[in-house]
Amino acid sequence: MPSELSRRSFIAAGGAFGVLALAPPARVRSLLEAARAATGDGRFLTKHEVATLRAATARFVPGPPYDPDPGALQAGAAEAIDLMLGAFRVRPPLIHAGGPFSGRAGGRRDDFAHFVPLDRLATLGWRIRLEGSRGMRSREFAGPVVGLQEIYRKGLAHLDERSRSAYGVDFAAAPPPAQDAILSDQSDSDTQEFVGAALANTLEAMYGAPEYGGNRKLVGWTPNRWLGDRQPAGFSPAQVSSPDPGPRVGPAAAALFSAWLAAREKGRP
């Protein structure tokens, strides 16, 4: 009997929530498909780098068989991160989704799918964030900046180096416990620089709006009973003023929780 509850096990046991699962908008979907069809590479990362990133994101937010709910792999987090890294390879850049409505709760179309053009200052800021300052005077007014593209490219290569050195295989081919050992090594500053960026971006892709390429079929929202963007339908006065009903806990989840409580009490002095 397991001694602790798995991530969102109660919610999973309660059954799926009836949220309308819309596919990512046609433009983002076509970019993903075009990148795969050409060489197997991503929009910015190579095929091998995308595979390594998938493996890393799958350890940040595990899915089946390690957790009953979908994880970063099922949400397409790595592909969404790759789109962000190559945001300026399309126009307008895939930075800010439009608005006001996505069509998931009313409205005539998915406004989120129409990305907003950036002004000059926003373009400069995002290029610095993604590409780094690259020694350009116009980008180093606050000092040199290492961009996310370089952090990912060097970080993914470093994961492979660590894995080959310790286990004789690339990171994506290493067993999950070995991957966890590499990612959690606090003595390795190169790995932790990558983890700091990749973990944050994975969570954004996992739980953000699907128009950015992640959260496929709303797998980041559905198990958590998160309704997502609710405008223009909004909420009724009763929904606003009353607590949510909470997850429906089935017999399996109740038994699991009882076992967890018993194990916890047994471990206390």
Side-chain angles (χ1 to χ4, degrees):
M1 185 69 70
S3 61
E4 61 179 1
L5 286 172
S6 62
R7 178 174 56 93
R8 306 189 302 275
S9 58
F10 276 153
I11 300 172
F17 191 70
V19 179
L20 177 62
L22 297 182
R27 182 161 181 261
V28 172
R29 187 170 62 247
S30 66
L31 289 172
L32 290 169
E33 292 173 351
R36 296 192 195 102
T39 62
D41 293 342
R43 182 58 48 176
F44 173 78
L45 299 172
T46 67
K47 180 180 180 179
H48 181 82
E49 288 171 333
V50 171
T52 306
L53 183 57
R54 286 195 192 105
T57 62
R59 302 315 304 154
F60 295 148
V61 186
Y66 307 100
D67 190 279
D69 293 326
L73 191 63
Q74 291 74 32
E79 288 79 2
I81 292 171
D82 175 63
L83 280 179
M84 177 194 68
L85 294 174
F88 283 98
R89 297 191 174 186
V90 295
R91 293 185 179 181
L94 301 179
I95 299 294
H96 295 306
F101 310 127
S102 70
R104 283 182 281 274
R108 296 182 178 180
R109 68 170 189 170
D110 184 357
D111 298 316
F112 287 18
H114 299 271
F115 282 74
V116 179
L118 304 181
D119 62 25
R120 182 178 62 84
L121 290 179
T123 297
L124 175 62
W126 274 98
R127 283 197 177 275
I128 292 174
R129 182 181 182 186
L130 294 176
E131 301 168 358
S133 56
R134 297 182 175 180
M136 299 180 188
R137 186 174 180 180
S138 61
R139 297 187 183 186
E140 293 195 341
F141 50 85
V145 176
V146 178
L148 285 172
Q149 291 179 348
E150 182 177 346
I151 290 174
Y152 273 91
R153 184 137 279 163
K154 288 185 175 180
L156 293 168
H158 184 66
L159 293 184
D160 276 338
E161 291 172 4
R162 285 288 310 273
S163 183
R164 286 193 293 265
S165 175
Y167 309 110
V169 295
D170 288 336
F171 181 83
Q179 294 173 343
D180 290 344
I182 293 173
L183 293 171
S184 61
D185 184 358
Q186 298 298 312
S187 67
D188 187 341
S189 59
D190 291 335
T191 294
Q192 293 314 308
E193 181 181 38
F194 166 80
V195 169
L199 175 57
N201 294 151
T202 297
L203 295 177
E204 291 169 349
M206 180 78 197
Y207 301 111
E211 283 77 10
Y212 291 98
N215 193 7
R216 292 175 181 166
K217 298 183 179 180
L218 305 185
V219 297
W221 295 351
T222 303
N224 296 315
R225 301 171 68 90
W226 169 246
L227 297 178
D229 50 290
R230 289 293 301 160
Q231 299 302 327
F235 296 92
S236 68
Q239 288 175 311
V240 172
S241 58
S242 303
D244 291 334
R248 297 181 297 275
V249 180
L256 183 61
F257 184 56
S258 297
W260 176 76
L261 282 178
R264 185 181 180 187
E265 291 297 326
K266 185 177 180 180
R268 288 182 176 178

